Amino acid sequence: MFLGLGQAVYFSLKTQPSDILLAFALLIALAGMWLSRHYVIPFFCWLMLVFAVLGGGIVQAHLYMLQGPVLKKTLYTENLQGKILSLEPRNGRTRLVITPDDIAGLSRDQLPQKVRLSLSGDIAVRPGDYFSGKAKIFPLSVPETPGDPDFARNLYFDGIGGTGFALGRSYRIDRDQTADTGFFEAIERIRLAIMARIDNGLEPAKAGLANAILVGERGGVAPELAEDLRKSGLAHLLAISGLHMGLLCGVVFFTVRFGLALFPSVALRYPIKKWAAIAGFIIGTFYLLLSGATVPTQRAFVMTAIVLFAVLVDRRAISLRLVAIAAVIVMVLRPDAILGASFQLSFAAVTVLVAFYQGKGGRLVSPQRDLPVWQRIGRYLFALFITGIMVTAVTAPIIGFHFGRISLLGVLSNLVAIPLMAFWIMPGIVAVLVLLPFGLEGIALGFLAPGLDMLIALAHLVARQDWGLWHIAQPPALAVILAMLALLWLIIWRQRVLWLCAIVPAVGAAIAIIGVQSPDLLVGGDQKDWALYQEQGDHLVFNNRVSRFHRDIWNARFGTGFAPEKNAAKHCDQERCWFKKNGKTIVISDKIDDPFYLCRHADVIVILKQDFPVSACNGSDRSPLVIDDDVLWWQGGVAVFLGDQQSPSRYETVRQTSGNWSWIIIGGR
């Protein structure tokens, strides 16, 4: 718990702390542990501090291992050459991750470790091949405005130092003729071969779902279907997690055990239960590699592997310690995962379920062989319903923070989808894996297709119920962290007197929510897109040609998903846009034509493409807040807080909120 908290605090810093500071903090914490070793509560407090510092130290160690060049400015290169590590088909395009050997315009010591390129169309390429051609490469994309998602951090921890696209078809793919294919390249080729066979055997919509479930490749899922799955609370089925890993290994375990039990001479002489556990582990490992080893899959694999190992040594497996071991392994291997929705949702759901079913909830899943079949089915469905309610409740703050909406019908849709996955889709996936090497996957795909059809129909049906989707404004990160700490504290401790300690973070979360101040105006660092929040009607006003990507992110932040879309046409003339809010006048323009007029009539001046003359407002009755090209270029996007008529307006920039980390490149630095 405090290992993860230490990592989160580390990432909230504005720059990388020194090694001496971390070492000194660790020594102080260890000294405190030693001096308080005879006193339980002080010792425990120092112990928590030790692991928080260790969490920061783990991130620091990863940053040293990742040290390498990143692209500082946009580059048009006449020749980029390198080996293809992986590829991802994505909505009519193909993404390649390349290890560059040469990039025209960069010296050898400026070459990033990896670059990610997007190519138009589906191309015949495989890992190990060589790419050469013209490309446009960009620095890692920083948050567009303060508070937006930081995709650059994830790419940096993947070892990627630049992203871009190939220019037209002016590139060449050379086949790898060597026989010594690396292990991971071989796995990647197997993934692509499986995807190709599935694409040939199923319709596009069903093939996209099957590929997402089997090999973790979600690029083939149509955007409309992905949106329906999110609205219906079924998007977790696209991420290979505990449900998929548990069902797959469970199907293999029980199939192998059942098959061996058919032979009395084997079943009576040998430990077939342990043999089945070994078979489940082997298939689980293969599934982990096929899926690309994402964070939910890593967590699911670690927990499933420990459960199967417990079968081998005749020990109890499911416990909160198992969840803790899985969390520590993921945090050590990939510390940036702590800030991602995948890690947070996965472990929040699993932790609350394990805690519940270890306690009073265990009665719902305890063996009841003397009950009639219909009562067993009823108990199973009731357990699913209770599970859905608990998972929805515990993950709601996290989903609200990351996505700005919560599916209220997710409990009911999962009541249908999970049995469908357990008894139809996952057995079909196992059959596909078994029959693929023999070229007989068509039989399994024929069995799988109706199950996928039902899942798609369910997502469409639930997604059309707009009343079942609740849009909320993004809560402050501090409030979500404190709420999760309070919940974890209640789960971990069994002595109720210690539950009182959870009041402190719970009250802190409430104060953070009450005291939050949302920005009134967002101006993107791309110097094109902006959005103004209007309380009347609870909607955002966008510039006329706002990108869909930025519109969706900002709507999620303000919880304005169902508000009718409005652009700024009626507020704008040919030169500029004028707005009134909180008794203040805002003007937004690409260029300046009369700076003195703006100084006399505006309280906030936003000039997207030019520098505003500093002396223009000298002698004016107003002292407007000015955001111009100089601010946006060197400091990144801006969030403006207007305040009331008596208080001055202010703004925050991406540079101020994101800090000076290696992956934050603004204005070429």
Side-chain angles (χ1 to χ4, degrees), residues 120-352:
S120 59
D122 296 324
I123 59 174
V125 65
R126 60 183 185 177
D129 293 346
Y130 285 84
F131 172 92
S132 60
K134 298 179 181 180
K136 183 179 181 180
I137 320 173
F138 306 91
L140 299 179
S141 179
V142 300
E144 189 65 16
T145 63
D148 284 358
D150 188 356
F151 302 110
R153 180 182 57 243
N154 297 336
L155 292 173
Y156 184 81
F157 275 82
D158 282 332
I160 295 173
T163 64
F165 55 86
L167 296 174
R169 294 281 182 175
S170 56
Y171 60 83
R172 189 176 77 249
I173 303 293
D174 296 320
R175 293 294 181 193
D176 180 18
Q177 304 299 330
T178 60
D180 55 338
T181 303
F183 176 75
F184 291 105
E185 291 175 8
I187 292 293
E188 192 67 22
R189 291 185 181 184
I190 293 173
R191 291 182 74 225
L192 294 174
I194 292 174
M195 289 168 57
R197 302 273 278 274
I198 291 176
D199 289 339
N200 290 333
L202 292 174
E203 297 173 7
K206 288 179 279 191
L209 269 182
N211 283 326
I213 295 170
L214 182 54
V215 297
E217 179 50 68
R218 287 178 276 181
V221 179
E224 298 80 11
L225 176 56
E227 181 67 11
D228 284 347
L229 288 166
R230 284 190 287 268
K231 286 182 177 180
S232 58
L234 300 176
H236 65 94
L237 300 179
L238 294 181
I240 297 176
S241 58
L243 175 67
H244 306 71
M245 185 68 73
L247 288 175
L248 179 75
C249 294
V251 168
V252 172
F253 177 86
F254 289 110
T255 301
V256 171
R257 190 179 181 189
F258 178 77
L260 292 174
L262 294 177
F263 302 94
S265 59
V266 176
L268 296 175
R269 289 183 175 87
Y270 301 100
I272 61 172
K273 182 179 178 181
K274 297 181 179 182
W275 290 5
I278 294 172
F281 176 79
I282 293 172
I283 294 297
T285 304
F286 183 60
Y287 194 35
L288 172 72
L289 297 172
L290 277 184
S291 67
T294 58
V295 169
T297 317
Q298 291 176 22
R299 190 269 307 160
F301 174 75
V302 170
M303 295 185 67
T304 305
I306 294 174
V307 169
L308 294 173
F309 179 75
V311 172
L312 292 177
V313 296
D314 300 314
R315 295 292 298 273
R316 179 184 175 188
I318 304 297
S319 69
L320 285 175
R321 291 185 182 87
L322 169 61
V323 182
I325 292 170
V328 168
I329 290 174
V330 173
M331 286 188 287
V332 169
L333 294 178
R334 191 65 192 257
D336 64 308
I338 192 73
L339 301 180
S342 176
F343 178 96
Q344 295 166 11
L345 291 171
S346 178
F347 279 99
V350 170
T351 301
V352 74

Side-chain angles (χ1 to χ4, degrees), residues 528-540:
K528 294 186 296 184
D529 291 344
W530 50 266
L532 178 74
Y533 179 65
Q534 296 282 21
E535 285 86 357
Q536 290 184 344
D538 189 29
H539 66 272
L540 290 173

Side-chain angles (χ1 to χ4, degrees), residues 297-599:
T297 317
Q298 291 176 22
R299 190 269 307 160
F301 174 75
V302 170
M303 295 185 67
T304 305
I306 294 174
V307 169
L308 294 173
F309 179 75
V311 172
L312 292 177
V313 296
D314 300 314
R315 295 292 298 273
R316 179 184 175 188
I318 304 297
S319 69
L320 285 175
R321 291 185 182 87
L322 169 61
V323 182
I325 292 170
V328 168
I329 290 174
V330 173
M331 286 188 287
V332 169
L333 294 178
R334 191 65 192 257
D336 64 308
I338 192 73
L339 301 180
S342 176
F343 178 96
Q344 295 166 11
L345 291 171
S346 178
F347 279 99
V350 170
T351 301
V352 74
L353 291 180
V354 170
F356 176 72
Y357 285 109
Q358 264 194 311
K360 296 181 180 179
R363 300 174 187 173
L364 292 174
V365 292
S366 59
Q368 296 287 342
R369 294 189 177 91
D370 55 333
L371 291 178
V373 174
W374 66 270
Q375 287 191 16
R376 295 187 201 176
I377 294 174
R379 286 166 62 92
Y380 172 73
L381 293 177
F382 181 71
L384 277 183
F385 183 71
I386 295 297
T387 296
I389 290 176
M390 287 191 301
V391 169
T392 300
V394 76
T395 58
I398 303 172
I399 293 174
F401 177 78
H402 288 284
F403 307 111
R405 59 187 181 185
I406 300 169
S407 175
L408 302 179
L409 292 177
V411 175
L412 298 179
S413 59
N414 278 282
L415 199 61
V416 178
I418 291 178
L420 184 62
M421 285 287 293
F423 299 113
W424 196 321
I425 294 176
M426 288 311 296
I429 291 294
V430 173
V432 170
L433 282 175
V434 171
L435 296 177
L436 262 171
F438 308 103
L440 300 175
E441 70 279 356
I443 301 172
L445 292 175
F447 169 78
L448 181 62
L452 296 174
D453 276 330
M454 284 188 277
L455 184 61
I456 293 171
L458 175 65
H460 288 330
L461 175 65
V462 177
R464 285 198 295 266
Q465 317 306 315
D466 287 345
W467 57 271
L469 198 62
W470 181 27
H471 290 269
I472 64 170
Q474 184 184 61
L478 180 61
V480 178
I481 292 172
L482 291 175
M484 289 298 102
L485 283 176
L487 180 63
L488 275 174
W489 192 269
L490 292 174
I491 288 173
I492 290 171
W493 295 108
R494 298 190 178 181
Q495 293 84 357
R496 295 190 178 184
V497 66
L498 291 173
W499 289 4
L500 296 174
C501 297
I503 294 175
V504 176
V507 171
I511 294 173
I513 292 176
I514 294 171
V516 67
Q517 183 182 7
S518 297
D520 299 284
L521 174 66
L522 298 176
V523 183
D526 61 357
Q527 300 177 255
K528 294 186 296 184
D529 291 344
W530 50 266
L532 178 74
Y533 179 65
Q534 296 282 21
E535 285 86 357
Q536 290 184 344
D538 189 29
H539 66 272
L540 290 173
V541 178
F542 297 100
N543 56 299
N544 293 335
R545 290 181 289 179
V546 64
S547 72
R548 182 185 180 90
F549 180 70
H550 293 153
R551 183 190 64 199
D552 291 345
I553 287 178
W554 293 341
N555 268 326
R557 282 186 63 176
F558 286 89
T560 53
F562 284 147
E565 292 187 8
K566 297 182 181 294
N567 59 40
K570 71 175 185 179
H571 300 276
C572 304
D573 53 32
Q574 292 183 346
E575 299 172 350
R576 63 182 76 91
C577 299
W578 292 88
F579 298 94
K580 289 283 290 185
K581 184 177 180 184
N582 295 3
K584 297 183 178 181
T585 302
I586 306 163
V587 61
I588 304 174
S589 178
D590 281 346
K591 298 181 180 179
I592 311 167
D593 55 351
D594 188 351
F596 303 102
Y597 178 82
L598 297 181
C599 287

